[in-house]
Amino acid sequence: MSEAKTRPTDVAVDAFLAGLPEPQQADSRALIALMREVTGEEPRMWGPSIVGFGSYHYRYATGREGDAPLTSFSPRKQNLTVYLSYGFEEQEELLARLGKHKLGKACLYVKRLADVDQAALRELVQQSVDELRRTNA
């Protein structure tokens, strides 16, 4: 069975952020503050470009298992990618409040944090972390 590619690294988060253009640095620092507050965890690099907080162990029905951050984000060239633990089918009201965004299966894509409602974003992150902690306790 293959090993998970995204694992915690020893790269300093500040060193990673220093390599980003200024608008991405500011948004990344704001997301770090939000996710640190929600999780009570310090940021850590997962792989070369994901800033993660805390961790949980998962095991799929197929037998594949590993560790992943409770919540995380990656400042990509096109978008900030926020990784959450669930699909968004039951989050219609929050997503309507959120503002300008796109969705993946468990990813939220935003151009800039200024484009979204910070309270709605915090609530989405909080619900995701709460769900992971509840189901992986």
Side-chain angles (χ1 to χ4, degrees):
M1 197 168 302
S2 67
E3 198 171 301
K5 293 177 183 162
T6 305
R7 294 183 299 228
T9 71
D10 291 329
V11 174
V13 172
D14 284 337
F16 169 70
L17 296 179
L20 298 174
E22 182 47 44
Q24 285 184 322
Q25 281 188 38
D27 280 351
S28 293
R29 291 189 191 289
L31 273 174
I32 286 171
L34 181 150
M35 291 180 172
R36 179 185 280 139
E37 184 180 316
V38 166
T39 64
E41 303 279 350
E42 290 301 312
R44 183 168 189 189
M45 293 303 300
W46 285 69
S49 62
I50 296 174
V51 179
F53 295 79
S55 67
Y56 72 100
H57 189 77
Y58 63 85
R59 180 174 295 133
Y60 297 131
T62 61
R64 182 182 171 106
E65 63 183 292
D67 296 303
L70 285 170
T71 193
S72 58
F73 73 93
S74 183
R76 310 282 174 157
K77 191 176 233 179
Q78 294 292 324
N79 297 293
L80 283 168
T81 304
V82 179
Y83 299 98
L84 302 172
S85 66
Y86 52 79
F88 298 99
E89 302 81 23
E90 298 174 14
Q91 305 299 327
E92 291 176 26
E93 182 183 320
L94 267 177
L95 291 171
R97 275 188 24 224
L98 185 62
K100 211 170 159 182
H101 68 279
K102 293 181 182 177
L103 298 175
K105 185 172 181 176
C107 298
L108 177 67
Y109 303 102
V110 298
K111 283 273 190 204
R112 296 183 325 259
L113 284 185
D115 293 340
V116 298
D117 179 290
Q118 301 299 300
L121 178 61
R122 185 184 194 295
E123 200 169 332
L124 285 165
V125 172
Q126 184 72 61
Q127 287 180 11
S128 175
V129 169
D130 290 349
E131 178 66 12
L132 279 174
R133 285 182 169 156
R134 185 183 68 74
T135 58
N136 293 285

